Amino acid sequence: MNVPESIYLFYKADFITFGIRKRFKLNPMTATVLWYLFFNGVLLITAIHDNIVFSTSNRIGLLNDFGWWIITTLGFNATFYTFLWLPDGVAKTILGLVQNKVIGLPSSHKDQDGKETLDIYIQKFFRSYSNRLWYIIPSVIAIPLLDSLVQSHRKFLIWETASNFSFGFTIFLYMFFFFLFVTLLTRVIIVILWLNKLFKDFDIDVRVLHPDNAGGLAPLSRFGMAIVYMIVIIAISNVFGDISEAVITSKAYIDVVRQPFVFSTYIAYSVFASLAFFAPLSLAHTSMKKAKNHFITEISDQFEIELANVQTLLAGDNAKLKNSLSKLEELQKLYNVASKFPVWPFNIGNLAGFFGAIVSPFLISLISIVTEQFFK
């Protein structure tokens, strides 16, 4: 089955992705670095004008605000990069499944080479992915968040509140990346739902001996891990942001973590990171398990036939008996091999990477709490 050109529609989902990826021909990493240098360059020039590049007796300087640099370097960059990368992630996942010969034609619609059928699926996928209604979600959430952000940040004696421009521009950056982040999460959910639909609408041919040790379905686990790494990086930046808030407000870090909003972000992080990794794999798991059980059932049925032959030949032809016994032995070996077929589209390395990544923000937070208590 060929992959239709419509797979590249996802670059046209919004003017940001289209402008950067298609108009200016920038890859996600280059665009992210340029944007990072631009907005921090503007803030640095503003800080020089406000004479607050370094800390003074009553205000933390831009270059001394470690929280800002970690949040922007990790959180902002991870959000912006993944937002621009997501069309690549979708295209490579579907392309990988096609190249691994996992996706077959749906039994309800068989055309010459599958291109038309897959093209229809991708176009419907894109319409859902690019629907402007999804922008309502971050817009509605942003209204109360903006007021809360303004009220809390006005109290910070840092470079941000040294002038109206630096304060307004910083609030704009926070809201812009919040909008990108919520839109990104919404799109990830849409992608997961449509990848699952792919497994429902198309015949899936699990390649049990594929070298990826995942039945040819490794593109799904790679996509899930990429999203998990993005979420983990943003979570780590949030942890350091909380540490920075504790320093700026002279609060204990544990008190910052106990705030309902902050504590809820830890819960949301755990739930969504797990969902991002396992949800795309759920139907793949079903397909792999179904293929494995079907093969084992065929072996079992053939074994029963040969066993019945052996029983009828016990008092008969020794040559035929020997041949039937040999078949039983081969079927037993084949059964042992089939029993070891994977039923999840990831290997031990993927799983270790997932658990290692997901605990890292909690580990950093725990170390901070223990360190704070120890030096108290």
Side-chain angles (χ1 to χ4, degrees):
M1 180 186 291
N2 298 319
V3 178
E5 289 297 318
S6 56
I7 194 70
Y8 300 107
L9 278 173
F10 294 92
Y11 294 106
K12 300 179 181 180
D14 56 83
F15 73 92
I16 296 175
T17 305
F18 180 75
I20 291 173
R21 300 301 307 277
K22 292 303 177 182
R23 291 290 186 187
F24 295 103
K25 306 294 184 183
L26 296 176
N27 63 50
M29 182 58 72
T30 301
T32 300
V33 171
L34 290 176
W35 173 238
Y36 175 79
L37 293 175
F38 168 74
F39 71 74
N40 272 316
V42 171
L43 289 175
L44 183 59
I45 293 172
T46 305
I48 292 173
H49 177 269
D50 296 335
N51 196 27
I52 194 65
V53 176
F54 299 100
S55 296
T56 63
S57 58
N58 61 351
R59 199 178 287 271
I60 297 175
L62 175 61
L63 295 185
N64 299 109
D65 186 0
F66 76 92
W68 170 257
W69 293 105
I70 292 176
I71 289 172
T72 56
T73 304
L74 296 180
F76 283 16
N77 283 352
T79 302
F80 196 68
Y81 175 86
T82 310
F83 187 87
L84 297 178
W85 166 87
L86 193 58
D88 289 332
V90 173
K92 289 179 179 178
T93 300
I94 296 177
L95 180 62
L97 294 173
V98 171
Q99 289 178 336
N100 290 347
K101 300 179 180 178
V102 170
I103 300 177
L105 295 173
S107 56
S108 59
H109 185 174
K110 290 185 178 292
D111 57 14
Q112 188 174 358
D113 62 1
K115 186 175 182 179
E116 180 185 347
T117 304
L118 190 59
D119 183 61
I120 292 171
Y121 161 82
I122 291 173
Q123 289 184 36
K124 291 180 179 178
F125 184 175
F126 171 73
R127 285 196 292 271
S128 176
Y129 178 91
S130 60
N131 195 319
R132 298 295 185 267
L133 290 175
W134 302 126
Y135 296 145
I136 296 175
I137 299 174
S139 300
V140 170
I141 302 174
I143 295 173
L145 179 66
L146 176 60
D147 180 65
S148 174
L149 198 64
V150 169
Q151 296 303 323
S152 61
H153 279 237
R154 281 193 185 281
K155 302 174 183 178
F156 294 167
L157 294 176
I158 60 175
W159 57 271
E160 179 186 343
T161 55
S163 69
N164 289 332
F165 177 80
S166 62
F167 182 72
F169 188 60
T170 306
I171 294 298
F172 162 76
L173 289 174
Y174 275 116
M175 296 308 299
F176 174 70
F177 280 99
F178 170 79
F179 186 87
L180 287 187
F181 179 69
V182 176
T183 303
L184 177 60
L185 292 187
T186 304
R187 285 182 173 173
V188 167
I189 293 172
I190 293 170
V191 171
I192 290 172
L193 292 174
W194 275 89
L195 287 177
N196 283 344
K197 184 174 173 58
L198 182 71
F199 279 78
K200 289 181 179 179
D201 292 352
F202 287 78
D203 296 332
I204 304 300
D205 184 14
V206 178
R207 321 293 288 189
V208 291
L209 295 180
H210 195 278
D212 66 4
N213 294 322
L217 298 169
L220 285 173
S221 60
R222 285 196 292 268
F223 175 81
M225 280 304 303
I227 299 300
V228 167
Y229 285 141
M230 179 272 295
I231 296 172
V232 168
I233 291 172
I234 293 173
I236 290 173
S237 73
N238 284 341
V239 170
F240 281 106
D242 295 336
I243 295 172
S244 176
E245 180 182 342
V247 173
I248 293 171
T249 59
S250 300
K251 292 181 180 179
Y253 173 64
I254 186 66
D255 292 334
V256 174
V257 174
R258 284 172 177 168
Q259 296 178 82
F261 177 77
V262 175
F263 187 73
S264 65
T265 60
Y266 282 80
I267 298 175
Y269 156 72
S270 303
V271 172
F272 199 84
S274 300
L275 180 68
F277 183 70
F278 287 107
L281 312 179
S282 60
L283 276 178
H285 164 65
T286 302
S287 298
M288 294 178 74
K289 189 174 181 180
K290 181 179 178 181
K292 177 180 178 179
N293 290 340
H294 178 71
F295 188 35
I296 289 177
T297 300
E298 288 186 333
I299 296 171
S300 175
D301 291 343
Q302 190 61 41
F303 187 88
E304 292 298 326
I305 292 172
E306 293 301 328
L307 184 60
N309 286 339
V310 168
Q311 291 172 342
T312 60
L313 293 171
L314 286 177
D317 191 332
N318 286 336
K320 290 183 179 180
L321 178 61
K322 185 176 181 180
N323 184 51
S324 292
L325 288 173
S326 177
K327 286 184 179 180
L328 285 176
E329 291 177 1
E330 294 303 318
L331 287 169
Q332 183 64 53
K333 291 178 182 178
L334 188 58
Y335 174 83
N336 293 336
V337 171
S339 298
K340 297 177 183 178
F341 285 167
V343 293
W344 282 99
F346 54 74
N347 51 42
I348 296 299
N350 296 137
L351 202 57
F354 167 72
F355 285 112
I358 199 172
V359 301
S360 53
F362 295 105
L363 188 60
I364 295 171
S365 184
L366 180 61
I367 291 173
S368 301
I369 292 172
V370 171
T371 303
E372 182 180 64
Q373 295 300 315
F374 183 77
F375 291 102
K376 191 172 181 180

